Amino acid sequence: MTALPSVEDIKAQIEAGVPGAAVTVIPNGSPSAQHSLQLDREHAVAVAIFLRDHAELRLDYCSLVTGVDWLDTETSEKIKVKKVVDGVESEVDEVRKTKVPGYLEAVYHLFSMEKKHGPVILRLRTANRTDQTHVPSLTPVWRSAEFQEREAFDLYGIVFDGHSDLRRILMWDGFVDHPMRKDYVPPADDLLHPGVHA
Amino acid sequence: MADDLKELKIELSKNGIFTTTLEEIYNWGRKNSVWPLTFGLACCAIEMIATTMARYDLARFGAEVFRPSPRQADLIIVSGTVTKKMAPQVVRLYNQMPEPKYVIAMGACAISGGPFRDGYNVLKGIDRYIPVDVHIPGCPPRPEALIHAFMTLQKKIDAQHISGADRPRHLQADQPSEFPVPSFGPHGLEPAQNDEVFVAALNNPLKVIQ
């Protein structure tokens, strides 16, 4: 068993091995300290192949793919603005709100069967959660991702470009919603007992 | 039956003469040979299987012959979570059973959706689509509870009249034997319930049979 390099080391190796790849370390503050690596969509497949074939890392096994739905958020901050009030210039507090658009995220957990180490956690993010919900598929790199990417497509609506057979896997084909999204609302008549609930 | 007739019947049987009515012997035969469908959906099915095994021995009640075909079954035990994807198949199996046929909804999921009621994928009770004769609460119900439900069903069969306005559904030509199979819609099952079955059941509240 070989010790897995730290995420910062892996990030440096990726950036050295795959020119142009933008890798961001997402720290995990919990005691598990499972920090993850966010990849840019353009280089994700090249980075995945690099991690799989790297002589020391040999991350040959993708054990888990899942989705996360991050809603649009709003942050507010107080800033001091100079304003002219009644001919006198003074500093006034103003609250500035910024909308942070949400996104959908695909999470991959990678292990190495050969080196017996892991996990390395990858994250891919979509541009937003409405009309640009595409990320590259890593199924061509790890075959085990096939059904789980289909599940994330089914339940979150993440479209995996390059997936060989991207169909719904749990819900039926005619279903249009993505039930694991945070803003999913089940059909109303489904919840009511006619005659009991008005 | 009038009391004096009952006494006469007892008196005759003491002298070695057996008398009965057509209704009595018909129901006696039916209630003691209810053949369930080999059909399990979730963890409740494990309890159902245990009920048929030596320790609980459902064979004592004449129901040991679990049939692998709905064409030969009298009873469907809906044992477990009915997902929306499975619901049309459950209704279709019920439709394929010959009359007279009975339904036991076993466990919290089958009667209401149970712990998965607020989920997007689970049907909130099979009584939305088919008429249920006996509901068993529990998660999962123990084999004793299933046996109790089975004995309740036997009592129900025994009390059915073969003539008169209150005769059971299978003896009324204008009553349906098959029920509409729900289809997969864009947001869920369509229709969300069969009003004829579901609202009728709500207007006729559940009776606790001792």
Side-chain angles (χ1 to χ4, degrees):
Chain A
M1 187 168 163
T2 51
L4 193 65
S6 70
V7 276
E8 283 78 15
D9 291 349
I10 297 173
K11 172 184 151 81
Q13 289 186 23
I14 292 170
E15 283 169 349
V18 184
V23 182
T24 317
V25 173
I26 313 250
N28 179 343
S30 78
S32 71
Q34 284 195 336
H35 312 302
S36 49
L37 296 164
Q38 188 209 328
L39 309 181
D40 64 320
R41 291 189 291 278
E42 288 72 31
H43 298 91
V45 176
V47 171
I49 293 170
F50 172 80
L51 290 174
R52 186 191 63 187
D53 297 340
H54 190 277
E56 278 170 39
L57 294 170
R58 280 295 285 143
L59 296 163
D60 50 11
Y61 174 53
C62 174
S63 79
L64 175 137
V65 184
T66 191
V68 186
D69 181 14
W70 297 96
L71 289 173
D72 300 347
T73 49
E74 203 178 65
T75 53
S76 56
E77 51 179 345
K78 271 191 182 172
I79 43 163
K80 295 211 161 154
V81 187
K82 281 189 180 168
K83 264 190 181 173
V84 183
V85 183
D86 299 333
V88 185
E89 195 181 61
S90 57
E91 282 199 341
V92 183
D93 279 347
E94 210 176 65
V95 179
R96 184 179 288 172
K97 285 181 176 171
T98 32
K99 277 201 172 167
V100 183
Y103 48 86
L104 301 166
E105 192 174 64
V107 182
Y108 295 77
H109 281 212
L110 309 176
F111 290 82
S112 174
M113 285 286 151
E114 194 182 299
K115 303 285 183 189
K116 303 209 187 310
H117 62 206
V120 170
I121 301 152
L122 303 183
R123 296 177 185 229
L124 305 179
R125 287 177 181 173
T126 65
N128 60 34
R129 51 194 299 289
T130 48
D131 56 343
Q132 290 168 289
T133 56
H134 290 250
V135 295
S137 169
L138 300 188
T139 300
V141 186
W142 293 287
R143 188 66 205 281
S144 57
E146 183 184 346
F147 275 22
Q148 297 187 68
E149 283 187 349
R150 278 178 66 185
E151 190 179 336
F153 165 71
D154 188 355
L155 302 181
Y156 290 92
I158 305 170
V159 182
F160 292 90
D161 295 325
H163 192 287
S164 55
D165 184 28
L166 196 65
R167 288 177 293 135
R168 284 185 179 269
I169 191 167
L170 295 171
M171 304 308 285
W172 50 88
D173 288 335
F175 198 74
V176 296
D177 302 328
H178 301 293
M180 291 296 277
R181 285 210 192 172
K182 285 175 180 168
D183 52 2
Y184 170 72
V185 182
D189 56 346
D190 207 43
L191 296 170
L192 300 175
H193 265 173
V196 177
H197 301 127
Chain B
M1 209 189 306
D3 280 351
D4 50 340
L5 270 176
K6 252 184 195 164
E7 271 174 40
L8 177 65
K9 192 182 156 190
I10 293 163
E11 197 59 38
L12 282 167
S13 71
K14 281 178 186 166
N15 292 292
I17 300 163
F18 172 70
T19 57
T20 185
T21 61
L22 185 62
E23 184 176 291
E24 249 178 69
I25 200 157
Y26 173 67
N27 284 343
W28 173 83
R30 291 195 309 128
K31 76 168 186 181
N32 288 306
S33 63
V34 178
W35 290 359
L37 183 64
T38 313
F39 172 69
L41 286 172
C43 27
C44 282
I46 306 300
E47 298 296 305
M48 180 180 75
I49 294 159
T51 313
T52 66
M53 293 290 118
R55 187 179 179 93
Y56 297 100
D57 201 12
L58 198 63
R60 291 177 293 161
F61 303 91
E64 74 277 25
V65 206
F66 273 76
R67 304 309 294 184
S69 161
R71 299 292 185 201
Q72 303 168 344
D74 308 303
L75 167 67
I76 181 169
I77 302 174
V78 184
S79 52
T81 318
V82 188
T83 58
K84 285 180 182 167
K85 226 174 167 181
M86 190 64 186
Q89 277 67 261
V90 178
V91 179
R92 199 167 279 126
L93 280 171
Y94 178 75
N95 285 346
Q96 287 172 349
M97 287 161 60
E99 291 277 11
K101 52 188 174 184
Y102 301 94
V103 181
I104 291 179
M106 180 181 183
C109 296
I111 66 179
S112 70
F116 311 111
R117 190 181 167 82
D118 291 335
Y120 58 91
N121 58 335
V122 171
L123 181 69
K124 289 154 186 68
I126 191 64
D127 52 4
R128 282 173 182 253
Y129 294 115
I130 55 176
V132 174
D133 292 280
V134 185
H135 295 77
I136 324 172
C139 187
R142 286 198 47 88
E144 293 91 329
L146 181 58
I147 288 173
H148 180 248
F150 192 79
M151 290 166 73
T152 307
L153 180 67
Q154 285 185 317
K155 277 182 194 158
K156 191 170 176 172
I157 294 171
D158 204 28
Q160 288 182 331
H161 299 296
I162 58 172
S163 60
D166 60 342
R167 64 193 191 278
R169 194 182 72 219
H170 69 275
L171 295 174
Q172 298 187 30
D174 58 332
Q175 290 288 311
S177 171
E178 293 189 3
F179 292 85
V181 178
S183 61
F184 295 132
H187 304 287
L189 289 175
E190 286 177 356
Q193 74 258 338
N194 177 359
D195 284 337
E196 276 179 33
V197 172
F198 193 49
V199 179
L202 286 172
N203 294 334
N204 184 13
L206 302 181
K207 288 177 206 137
V208 178
I209 301 173
Q210 296 298 322

